Amino acid sequence: MSTVSKARPGGRSARIQEAVHDAVRSLQASSSRDAITVPLIAARAGVTPSTIYRRWGDLAALLSDVAADRFRTPESPAETGSLRGDLLAWAAQFIEEMGSTPGRGYIIDVVAGDSTGANTGACVNYARSALKEIFGRAPDAGLRDLEDALDRLVAPMMYRIIFDSDRIPSGYSTTLVERYLAAHPT
Amino acid sequence: MSTVSKARPGGRSARIQEAVHDAVRSLQASSSRDAITVPLIAARAGVTPSTIYRRWGDLAALLSDVAADRFRTPESPAETGSLRGDLLAWAAQFIEEMGSTPGRGYIIDVVAGDSTGANTGACVNYARSALKEIFGRAPDAGLRDLEDALDRLVAPMMYRIIFDSDRIPSGYSTTLVERYLAAHPT
């Protein structure tokens, strides 16, 4: 959430936030990126443009909040019965979702409108949580350093998606997981 | 360079590009990010706003081009006499420059306005060139895989700078270089 945003769960503020987020998502599903404007979002959400400006500051900050929410995955990573299997499944899904054209667009939205670092930080925490859950349940996981796993697994995927997305080799997530497990055998 | 941009070196087109880039850089040195607009840039560069829109499409695309240019470093990485020393010096400088507040801002500019992937791709190529030069001259370098070095050195630094910049531990670049050299001893 951006600096200006302050939602009391269940209150009027939360209802406005939900209506505005819904409006953005529905416009994103039907319109090109350049066609989405604050007045259009406001009209669809049934609020005034100034409500949006007061709460989010600008369009980029609102798009960053909405995009960060998309990366908050409530489901647990798939369970396959082994650490290797869980990591392979999770990393393959990560690169498939985040590396898709809309996925990359949402990553860029998160980054571009995040003046406080809250939304980018939240994305790192989602990845930390998923890895922590995988490490916590695998009987063969041993003691695992989450930050080291971020460096070796998440960082290369994110870097390639953002900076080099046309050249990601097939099987890239598998390469990273195998390299990680070779460095930290079970 | 963005889609719309097409510079003939030395021609009128190149002169316009130089004047507009200079105007952006001089405004960035004196104004806050939000205060920089296309009409302001046009006035300072002595061109019409429509020249800028025709050539770059929008402000974000222009800022992306200018920011990508800042990462084109003509100097060679420092020579210290060993592979370890060269990598340590290069990585420390990378994180210091890119991880500074203006550095991070320029990275976000590159990413946010890069609809074609040309500017993000250029940034990866600058890192590839620096690593290639270091590997090429170190007598103890052996055969080094540039993509593997990007995954292990550049990707974690970029990921932390973009997503987790408040929590980068001191000595992070040293940790990454030592970890890289441990995986690929000379």
Side-chain angles (χ1 to χ4, degrees):
Chain A
M1 237 170 280
S2 72
T3 0
V4 232
S5 171
K6 250 301 173 293
R8 277 177 302 116
R12 181 168 172 277
S13 175
R15 284 196 306 277
I16 289 176
Q17 172 159 319
E18 200 187 333
V20 170
H21 277 219
D22 284 348
V24 170
R25 280 188 294 260
S26 105
L27 285 166
Q28 284 176 331
S30 60
S31 316
S32 82
R33 196 187 179 73
D34 292 348
I36 298 174
T37 63
V38 168
L40 219 57
I41 296 165
R44 171 125 6 170
V47 302
T48 63
S50 68
T51 300
I52 293 181
Y53 289 119
R54 204 162 46 234
R55 192 182 180 107
W56 279 277
D58 61 17
L59 177 62
L62 169 56
L63 294 180
S64 179
D65 278 7
V66 173
D69 256 4
R70 289 181 185 268
F71 295 128
R72 177 181 296 140
T73 44
E75 334 86 76
S76 295
E79 281 199 74
T80 68
S82 74
L83 175 62
R84 162 173 276 112
D86 284 10
L87 287 175
L88 286 171
W90 171 78
Q93 192 185 353
F94 187 101
I95 212 155
E96 190 185 317
E97 285 178 5
M98 309 276 192
S100 67
T101 304
R104 183 173 187 272
Y106 298 137
I107 294 171
I108 291 170
D109 282 347
V110 167
V111 170
D114 188 31
S115 55
T116 65
N119 288 333
T120 45
C123 288
V124 181
N125 283 333
Y126 301 148
R128 276 194 191 99
S129 300
L131 287 167
K132 194 174 174 184
E133 188 169 348
I134 290 172
F135 292 158
R137 72 182 170 213
D140 54 352
L143 278 177
R144 299 275 163 178
D145 176 347
L146 281 179
E147 301 309 306
D148 171 84
L150 286 177
D151 287 342
R152 292 176 190 263
L153 297 171
V154 180
M157 291 194 287
M158 276 293 201
Y159 176 66
R160 299 291 180 169
I161 289 168
I162 295 176
F163 287 92
D164 207 20
S165 62
D166 291 342
R167 298 181 27 147
I168 301 179
S170 73
Y172 184 58
S173 63
T174 307
T175 305
L176 294 172
V177 170
E178 297 298 353
R179 199 190 281 166
Y180 170 77
L181 290 170
H184 303 292
T186 51
Chain B
M1 235 169 278
S2 72
T3 359
V4 231
S5 172
K6 251 305 174 290
R8 278 177 300 117
R12 184 168 169 276
S13 175
R15 285 197 306 275
I16 290 175
Q17 172 159 321
E18 201 187 333
V20 170
H21 277 219
D22 283 348
V24 171
R25 280 188 293 259
S26 106
L27 285 165
Q28 284 176 331
S30 60
S31 315
S32 82
R33 195 184 179 74
D34 292 347
I36 297 174
T37 62
V38 169
L40 219 57
I41 296 165
R44 173 127 3 172
V47 303
T48 63
S50 68
T51 299
I52 292 180
Y53 289 119
R54 205 161 45 234
R55 192 181 181 108
W56 280 277
D58 62 16
L59 177 61
L62 169 57
L63 293 180
S64 179
D65 279 5
V66 173
D69 255 4
R70 289 181 184 268
F71 295 128
R72 177 182 295 138
T73 43
E75 332 85 77
S76 294
E79 280 200 74
T80 68
S82 75
L83 175 62
R84 161 171 278 115
D86 283 9
L87 287 175
L88 286 171
W90 171 78
Q93 193 185 354
F94 187 101
I95 212 156
E96 191 186 317
E97 285 178 5
M98 309 278 193
S100 67
T101 304
R104 184 173 185 272
Y106 299 136
I107 293 172
I108 291 170
D109 282 346
V110 166
V111 171
D114 188 30
S115 55
T116 65
N119 288 333
T120 46
C123 287
V124 181
N125 283 332
Y126 301 149
R128 277 195 190 99
S129 299
L131 287 167
K132 193 173 175 187
E133 186 168 348
I134 290 172
F135 293 159
R137 72 184 169 210
D140 52 354
L143 277 178
R144 301 273 163 179
D145 176 347
L146 281 179
E147 301 310 305
D148 172 86
L150 286 177
D151 287 342
R152 293 176 189 263
L153 298 170
V154 179
M157 291 195 287
M158 275 294 201
Y159 177 66
R160 299 290 180 172
I161 290 168
I162 294 176
F163 286 92
D164 207 22
S165 62
D166 290 343
R167 298 180 26 147
I168 301 180
S170 74
Y172 184 58
S173 63
T174 306
T175 305
L176 294 172
V177 169
E178 296 297 353
R179 198 190 281 165
Y180 169 77
L181 290 171
H184 303 292
T186 51

